[in-house]
């Protein structure tokens, strides 16, 4: 019964789109329409993934990335909650920071993220 419910819950049109895009991508690279250097075929990506996994390189790199993301989220949560409490509980802090916050309010979130990445980026 659970297997039937699982199969019925699959988005078949969405899955078909991914399959056809992947097949088209593979065909375009194999036929020479796309440069392999810039856009490898899905089969080459899968082979590289398998090679990295079999050599034991993939797991430590994924673990490092996930740990970095978790640390970043933790720092952001602690800072956000702390600043939120500070602004909510201190009329003085609210008064001096409200203008800066209100200037950012109409700006789309993606724009704020790009600006913060540009100003605070650690890469050269």
């Amino acid at each position: 019964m659970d297997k039937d419910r699982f199969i019925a819950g699959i988005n078949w049109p969405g899955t078909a789109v991914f399959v056809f895009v992947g097949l088209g991508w593979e065909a375009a690279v194999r036929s020479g329409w796309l440069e392999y250097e810039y856009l490898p075929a899905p089969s080459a990506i899968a082979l590289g993934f398998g090679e990295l996994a079999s050599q034991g390189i993939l797991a430590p790199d994924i673990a490092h990335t996930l740990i970095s993301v978790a640390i970043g989220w933790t720092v952001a949560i602690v800072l956000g909650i702390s600043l939120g409490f500070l602004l909510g509980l201190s009329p003085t802090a609210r008064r001096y920071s409200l203008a800066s916050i209100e200037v950012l309010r109409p700006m789309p979130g993606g724009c704020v993220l790009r600006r913060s990445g540009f100003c605070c980026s650690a890469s050269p």
Side-chain angles (χ1 to χ4, degrees), residues 69-86:
V69 168
I71 289 170
W73 278 351
T74 303
V75 169
I77 288 170
V78 168
L79 285 174
I81 290 173
S82 300
L83 288 174
F85 274 123
L86 176 69

Side-chain angles (χ1 to χ4, degrees), residues 7-100:
I7 291 174
I10 295 175
N11 180 3
W12 291 109
T15 303
V17 167
F18 278 109
V19 169
F20 286 127
V21 167
L23 291 174
W25 177 6
E26 183 81 30
V29 171
R30 299 260 179 207
S31 68
W33 289 347
L34 295 174
E35 281 288 327
Y36 175 79
E37 184 178 349
Y38 301 112
L39 189 65
S43 60
I45 293 172
L47 287 173
F49 182 82
E51 185 178 324
L52 289 175
S54 67
Q55 292 176 357
I57 297 172
L58 191 62
D61 287 348
I62 289 175
H64 177 268
T65 300
L66 292 177
I67 289 170
S68 299
V69 168
I71 289 170
W73 278 351
T74 303
V75 169
I77 288 170
V78 168
L79 285 174
I81 290 173
S82 300
L83 288 174
F85 274 123
L86 176 69
L87 294 175
L89 297 174
S90 170
T92 306
R94 188 178 326 116
R95 184 178 334 120
Y96 285 111
S97 63
L98 193 60
S100 300

